[in-house]
DNA sequence: CGGCATATTGAAGAACATCAAGTAAAGTGG
DNA sequence: CCACTTTACTTGATGTTCTTCAATATGCCG
């Protein structure tokens, strides 16, 4: 019989899940906060852990981080419970080594099948699985650095000394041409790695990174990074995936820049920001016009003109400097 | 004392090198063609092999390929001698596992230091080095396929079944938007891998590949490719490098598309083709105008107009459909 | 040599960038 | 907290760049 540890600060949800699992034939243990969760996990070594992300004292990420540093708990399947359908929390969780996630409110059968799947997987893998360990190994000698809005993390031309992992906040990667015009190459969110490209190519930085809100960045010394890439197939395979994904996105962007109208490019920029930073197709944030302009590769004035057009067409609303997307689908798909 | 095998069909050069090396205290063996070279290499197991690329019967690539399939000769440092300063032959050679190359005519001291370096490296590496084997392992179950101009190798949206290596010829990678306008994402030359991006991302092809002249392509079955990537650090590290290099190029292209004038973009397209396919800053080939246009992300008419401007400015010459670059530097650097 | 693909030139107009000028918002120092 | 400065945003007018449509020219292949 498998034991499942539930770490969740909301007592109602905690009891609800516990009951459900007991009815399904699992043994359960419960903890109401992160610290307690870690303690119980280390004591009782459950077969699977369900853990809320948002908790006082020690949050879900913290729990995962601590447990993945202990040999005994390293291989226990770890499933996040997350209240919002926030893609980015999820991505960060997966990066840190979570095995799955379930969004609340959840369907009972979804929860049960997710748990069964994870348990089955972990049993069939036997002692082989050490993914958590590997990814976390990257962070073993990390330095943590905080940046606020407009702080520059690295510059085009710098000799790279770190690979970067964005633990929280938002960062833009950009590139400037000779006339001083800038284009946003990529927007980073929490859970993203960045600035490692030139390391792998043994080159200077070819772009610069700047925080666009308060951000906590983990700095991985370049030697450490290279060593881990070389020694761990898990890590190198992860970065192969990241790079190729990134490459396909860039290809798409080249096509867009080459032939799409400014109107379309601005629309795409809004959609991209919404996908990255918004919630449920609603982007509700303060966005400098210059950011939008350089995502679309156009001038600030033109960007503003397009925004007014969208406003007139009832696709967006503008409240002082906050932009609210009203019709995500129409904005995304209209052929212009 | 180290023995060096010289494989070179030109007797003058052969004797010249042999003498030089003997004076420097090496023992030498010579072969006047590829087949003889392989035979002698396998018999006498030299400490280093110098090998011409262009030879009758069996060329340098063939020699390298055969020797890297034998356990005994696998780790012998292999240095190419190449007559033309052709970067692409070199790239292909390195991909296949050559350790260095020297262009003829060469400076004596260059040759000697290159040899010394290689010998030193190979001694310090001991039994560890098996790079040649690893890269060649990729090709163990390859299929060879020939394409002629305008043949499509794979299409956007296809489920990938192979990774591709261009052994000879030229291939363009392109992407089309909804209006049917095409942009060239990349030009491939012999020695290039392509079409592996989506494999690593477990995705459908996001671009299409088309031969632009008669080409011999090596097809690596997708499972084979994945297996090799997972199992060989050498290979995965090679592809990490390729991908990140590629990524940086794409970033640059995004910036170019966003802000450079058409004139500049056409100039860059010519420069890129010259770097890839030309010789000594001279591009002398039949180039369809449409290719130039879609490299620069513009219409054929505009591309032609720019070519006429360049002709008027004495930067290029146009002979029927062949384009000859007269002033490489000016074309590359003029700020427009 | 005719027919089809490719290349070239012209003219008109759409799409954008730039310059200029004004308004709103956000810091800043007393 | 208010005047003041600075920064960000917005709109208009103008001109350039590039696309598009159309017509003609050239090369290419059987």
């Amino acid at each position: 019989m498998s034991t499942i540890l539930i770490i969740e600060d909301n007592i109602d949800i905690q009891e609800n899940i516990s009951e459900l699992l007991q009815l399904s034939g699992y043994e359960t243990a419960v903890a109401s906060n992160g610290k307690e969760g870690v303690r119980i996990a280390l004591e009782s070594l459950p077969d699977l852990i369900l853990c809320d992300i948002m908790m006082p004292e020690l949050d879900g990420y913290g729990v995962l981080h601590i447990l993945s540093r202990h040999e005994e708990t390293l291989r226990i399947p770890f499933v996040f419970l997350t209240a919002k359908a926030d893609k980015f929390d999820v991505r960060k969780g997966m990066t840190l080594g979570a095995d799955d996630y379930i969004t609340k409110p959840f369907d009972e059968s979804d929860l049960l099948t997710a748990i069964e799947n994870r348990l089955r997987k972990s049993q069939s893998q036997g002692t082989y699985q050490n993914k958590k360990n590997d990814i976390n190994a990257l962070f073993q000698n990390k330095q943590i650095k905080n940046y606020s809005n407009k702080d520059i993390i690295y510059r085009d031309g710098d000799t790279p000394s770190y690979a970067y992992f964005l633990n929280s906040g938002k960062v833009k990667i950009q590139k400037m041409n000779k006339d001083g015009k800038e284009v946003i190459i990529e927007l980073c969110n929490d859970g993203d790695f960045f600035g490692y490209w030139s390391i792998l190519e043994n080159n200077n930085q070819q772009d610069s990174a700047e925080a666009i809100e308060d951000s906590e960045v983990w700095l991985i010394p370049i030697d450490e990074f290279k060593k881990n890439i070389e020694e761990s197939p898990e890590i190198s395979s992860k970065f192969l995936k990241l790079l190729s994904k990134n490459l396909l996105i860039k290809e798409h962007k080249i096509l867009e820049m080459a032939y799409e109208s400014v109107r379309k490019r601005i629309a795409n920029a809004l959609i991209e920001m919404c996908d990255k930073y918004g919630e449920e197709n609603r982007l509700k944030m303060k966005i400098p016009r210059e950011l939008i302009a350089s995502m679309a590769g156009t001038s600030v004035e033109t960007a503003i003109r397009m925004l007014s057009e969208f406003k007139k067409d009832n696709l967006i609303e503008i409240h002082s400097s906050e932009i609210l997307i009203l019709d995500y689908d129409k904005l995304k798909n209209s052929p212009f």
Side-chain angles (χ1 to χ4, degrees), chain A residues 1-5 21 25-29 45-48 115 119-120 123:
Chain A
M1 177 169 319
S2 301
T3 308
I4 296 175
L5 171 60
L21 294 183
Y26 297 104
E27 268 183 44
T28 61
L45 301 179
D47 297 294
L48 184 145
I115 290 178
L119 284 174
R120 195 170 340 108
Q123 275 149 19

Side-chain angles (χ1 to χ4, degrees), chain A residues 186-253:
Chain A
E186 187 174 341
L187 289 176
C188 296
N189 212 322
D190 41 340
D192 286 341
F193 287 91
F194 63 95
Y196 56 89
W197 314 286
S198 0
I199 296 180
L200 294 170
E201 235 264 288
N202 290 319
N203 210 325
N204 288 346
Q205 296 290 7
Q206 303 286 313
D207 44 40
S208 44
E210 184 182 320
I212 54 176
E213 68 175 34
D214 291 353
S215 301
E216 182 185 317
V217 176
W218 293 0
L219 287 68
I220 307 160
I222 173 167
D223 294 334
E224 188 88 5
F225 181 74
K226 280 187 174 169
K227 203 184 106 223
N228 274 288
I229 286 269
E230 275 164 27
E231 288 173 3
S232 153
E234 296 284 355
I235 294 182
S236 75
S237 133
K238 178 175 183 61
F239 279 91
L240 278 169
K241 255 190 205 159
L242 282 179
L243 279 167
S244 40
K245 183 172 181 178
N246 223 320
L247 194 68
L248 295 176
I249 293 174
K250 296 316 181 247
E251 286 190 358
H252 189 262
K253 197 140 190 168

Side-chain angles (χ1 to χ4, degrees), chain A residues 7-59:
Chain A
I7 310 176
E8 164 69 63
D9 60 331
N10 180 318
I11 302 292
D12 286 345
I13 299 183
Q14 191 198 88
E15 285 181 356
N16 187 330
I17 298 178
S18 176
E19 211 173 298
L20 176 68
L21 294 183
Q22 282 170 8
L23 285 173
S24 311
Y26 297 104
E27 268 183 44
T28 61
V30 294
S32 320
N33 65 58
K35 282 190 183 163
E36 196 187 337
V38 170
R39 198 172 42 73
I40 297 180
L42 288 168
E43 272 171 19
S44 68
L45 301 179
D47 297 294
L48 184 145
I49 298 171
L50 281 174
C51 181
D52 192 15
I53 292 183
M54 305 274 277
M55 287 184 299
E57 296 222 49
L58 183 67
D59 67 10

Side-chain angles (χ1 to χ4, degrees), chain A residues 318-330:
Chain A
I318 300 177
H319 301 295
S320 63
S321 58
E322 265 185 18
I323 294 175
L324 178 68
I325 295 182
L326 295 176
D327 196 336
Y328 179 92
D329 293 325
K330 206 170 162 195

Side-chain angles (χ1 to χ4, degrees), chain A residues 89-104:
Chain A
D89 286 338
V90 168
R91 233 184 328 152
K92 181 174 163 192
M94 298 303 245
T95 304
L96 291 174
D99 297 283
D100 205 345
Y101 64 97
I102 292 164
T103 46
K104 299 183 284 190

